[in-house]
Every structure is written in structure tokens, then in C-alpha cells.
Amino acid sequence: MKTPNIFNYATSELSQDAFLCYLCEFGMEKFKNSEEYKLAHKFLALCAIPEDEKIENIKRQYCKIDVLIETENFFLIIEDKTDTNEHDDQISRYAEIMHSENKNKKIKVCYFKTGDYVQDYKADGKILSDKDVYSLRRKDILGLLENYHKDKVINMFYDKLASVENEIKNCDENDISTWTKSKWFDVIYNALKNNNKITDRVNIEDVPNAQGGFYGCWFDFKRIEELTVYKQIEIHIKDNKTEKVNLCLRCDAENKDIAKKHKEDMKNWLKKAEKIGYISPRIHTGKTTAFAYQEAKTKDDVLDFINDDILTKL
């Protein structure tokens, strides 16, 4: 019988904040002889903080920082995310705040993300350099916790993350209709990474709309005069299984005036897409997007779409 897991219900970033504070509190001197003490300091070591550093304070939502760990010589700013990304230069602002409080302490950042996401955080070079920032993904945390089996809360957090990886492994590798969102992310992300296509504009996320929405990915952005062309993978999922996958070529105008000016160009672009086997709906007056698509039936269809420089043919 499967044991209930509180993290199946406590799924918010605030719950992850609480877990991180719980784990790091074991790193205080009063717990020095425990296994949990070693585990907490191994977590710090993942962010280049020496394992012999003494943890002095643990704060939540201090100056809007998710979790702040203060040691003798370091401030560790933990920006905790699930499936969202950093915004409004928040990490840079947090670093400036902590630097103003104590200029003698070094600042490290843990960009802690357990969900599926694309970009790692890149430092702006003012106070933080890239060597001060450590993006920890789900697999990094699983690697940290996998040989620990004592504390129930820590084990439950591990089990929750491991269930996502097991879900990915249980998908049939050759039957994409069995694929879950996390499996799609795993395959698409790795294919993009292997082809050096991870840029600031690449994203993979849910898109809600009146038709029920889809799980989408956008990449290979190119500029043609005043128009932007790019690829989109559109995955329709129901009950966490795949119903349909469209491989789309899109041509966008910033506004209706530009679309009207380039209407013939957009039509010609669609005709070229049709010639290489894509289906294209008509462009209606006033629309700012033209698109053409093929339906993917296999994993190879998707990988070929990612790898092929199709947009140069249009």
C-alpha cells in the first residue's frame, strides 16, 4: 500500500521554501552529530559553500527573498521555483540588498527548480558572476537525497520528485501517445540542448485557450524584414497522456498594420510551406499570424522537426 505523501498536496513554491528551511536547519551546530547535518552541508556545497561553514540564520521571505541562508562568510540566496522563471531582475535586486547589508560576506545564489523549465539563471555581472550562481534542477536534488533514508519529511520530498522521473521512465519510448508533459519536456529540452538551440527566447509551457489549450514549445526564431518566423511544437494532452502533436511553422507580424503591409509576403511564405508538405489555413484580413503544420506520429517526426533547418527553405 502506497504511503500518503504530504508533498502530493503541498505543491506550491511556499511548500518548497518550508522544506528548504527544514533541511538547512539541520545544518546548525546543535545537530552536528546527525546524518541530516551532513546532508544540509552537502546541499550548501552544491552552491560552492564549504561544508565546514557554520549556518547562523535561516530566513523566509526576507526582503522578498524566498529563502536566505546566512553562514559565517556567505549569504546564500535561494530563489525557489517550480515551473516558472525568474522575472524583473529579482535575483540581482536581492544580491544588491544583501551586499549593502554586509559587504564582507560573499553572495551565492541557488536557483532551485524542481519543475520542468528551460533557462538557467545568468548573472548580470554587477555583484554576481555566473560562478556565484548555481541552478539546481530536479535531478540534482534527487542525486543529493537518493542515499538518505531516515527523516520522513526528507524522504517524502525525495519520493515526490522521484515520482516525476519514474513517470518519464514509464512512458513507452516509441509510442508518443503514452507520453506525459514531463516526458515531452525531457525529450524536447535535450534535443534542443544537443543542437545548441537553447536561447533566451526558447520556452516550453502550458498555453490556455478557449479550445482547451496545449503544451507548447517555441524555438528557431528568425527575422525576415518586419516579420518573425519560428517553429512551434503544439502538444494536446488529456489526463496527462498525449492526444495529438502538431509541428507548426509560424510567421508573425507585430501588429495589424505590419500584417496588412506584408500580407502577400505571408501568403507566399505559406505557399512555400505547403510545397514541403505542411497544411496551411488561409490568412484572414487583420490577422497578425500565418501558420502551417504537420501532425507528428512518432518520436522521430518530432526530432527531425527540431533538427531540420526548415525555415531556410521558406
Side-chain angles (χ1 to χ4, degrees):
M1 185 168 61
K2 191 175 181 180
T3 304
N5 188 327
I6 194 170
F7 291 108
N8 289 333
Y9 303 96
T11 57
S12 72
E13 289 164 1
L14 288 175
S15 299
Q16 288 193 167
D17 291 352
F19 171 78
L20 290 167
C21 292
Y22 178 81
L23 173 64
C24 289
E25 187 173 347
F26 280 114
M28 291 184 157
E29 288 300 293
K30 59 186 174 181
F31 299 108
K32 192 165 185 177
N33 295 322
S34 69
E35 289 181 47
E36 293 78 21
Y37 178 90
K38 294 177 183 176
L39 192 65
H41 282 267
K42 283 181 180 178
F43 171 73
L44 295 184
L46 290 176
C47 303
I49 296 177
E51 291 191 35
D52 59 355
E53 279 283 313
K54 290 182 180 179
I55 296 177
E56 297 177 339
N57 282 302
I58 299 169
K59 298 178 181 179
R60 278 184 69 190
Q61 294 300 315
Y62 179 75
C63 297
K64 297 187 177 180
I65 297 169
D66 290 336
V67 176
L68 177 68
I69 309 297
E70 184 178 357
T71 73
E72 296 170 288
N73 299 295
F74 293 87
F75 286 124
L76 176 60
I77 296 169
I78 302 178
E79 181 60 23
D80 177 21
K81 302 288 189 183
T82 49
D83 294 304
T84 57
N85 291 317
E86 192 260 356
H87 56 82
D88 301 328
D89 293 323
Q90 57 190 142
I91 293 177
S92 296
R93 287 188 284 106
Y94 301 155
E96 288 172 3
I97 291 168
M98 299 319 301
H99 183 66
S100 67
E101 286 200 9
N102 190 328
K103 291 181 171 60
N104 294 320
K105 289 200 175 187
K106 298 174 184 176
I107 297 173
K108 298 292 183 182
V109 171
C110 172
Y111 193 44
F112 186 91
K113 296 206 66 174
T114 55
D116 297 326
Y117 69 107
V118 180
Q119 283 89 11
D120 290 331
Y121 176 73
K122 298 297 182 185
D124 63 7
K126 294 176 183 176
I127 293 174
L128 297 170
S129 67
D130 284 342
K131 66 182 177 61
D132 298 317
V133 180
Y134 297 83
S135 295
L136 301 186
R137 296 172 178 260
R138 184 171 59 241
K139 289 180 180 178
D140 296 316
I141 308 307
L142 285 170
L144 172 70
L145 303 178
E146 66 182 345
N147 294 319
Y148 174 86
H149 306 291
K150 189 175 178 183
D151 182 84
K152 286 185 177 179
V153 174
I154 296 173
N155 287 338
M156 281 194 288
F157 192 75
Y158 173 86
D159 288 344
K160 173 58 180 174
L161 300 188
S163 69
V164 180
E165 294 301 314
N166 289 334
E167 187 181 87
I168 293 171
K169 290 176 185 175
N170 289 335
C171 294
D172 187 308
E173 195 64 26
N174 297 311
D175 181 3
I176 62 175
S177 69
T178 70
W179 288 14
T180 63
K181 282 170 58 175
S182 292
K183 174 66 175 180
W184 276 111
F185 180 90
D186 207 49
V187 169
I188 292 171
Y189 172 79
N190 285 312
L192 291 171
K193 188 175 180 181
N194 290 340
N195 284 278
N196 297 314
K197 294 188 176 188
I198 300 293
T199 69
D200 290 342
R201 298 196 67 181
V202 171
N203 212 353
I204 305 175
E205 62 182 20
D206 283 307
V207 179
N209 61 31
Q211 290 73 45
F214 60 90
Y215 190 53
C217 175
W218 303 266
F219 57 101
D220 275 0
F221 290 85
K222 300 182 189 303
R223 194 76 175 167
I224 302 176
E225 295 183 4
E226 296 179 285
L227 303 173
T228 301
V229 297
Y230 57 98
K231 297 178 188 175
Q232 173 181 298
I233 300 176
E234 189 177 287
I235 305 156
H236 297 264
I237 291 177
K238 185 177 181 181
D239 298 327
N240 210 18
K241 291 290 186 292
T242 302
E243 285 193 317
K244 182 175 67 171
V245 181
N246 286 336
L247 309 174
C248 307
L249 305 175
R250 295 180 66 96
C251 179
D252 284 2
E254 256 181 69
N255 55 54
K256 291 181 179 180
D257 289 336
I258 292 175
K260 186 176 180 180
K261 177 181 174 183
H262 291 279
K263 187 175 180 181
E264 288 305 312
D265 294 328
M266 294 172 83
K267 280 184 176 179
N268 290 332
W269 184 85
L270 284 179
K271 286 177 183 177
K272 290 178 182 177
E274 288 176 336
K275 285 182 179 178
I276 59 172
Y278 285 77
I279 302 167
S280 62
R282 290 185 303 152
I283 302 177
H284 298 284
T285 304
K287 296 289 185 181
T288 59
T289 298
F291 73 95
Y293 70 95
Q294 289 180 343
E295 188 173 342
K297 298 296 185 183
T298 68
K299 177 182 178 180
D300 285 343
D301 290 342
V302 178
L303 295 181
D304 289 344
F305 180 72
I306 291 172
N307 297 337
D308 192 1
D309 198 6
I310 304 166
L311 295 174
T312 61
K313 302 172 185 177
L314 303 180

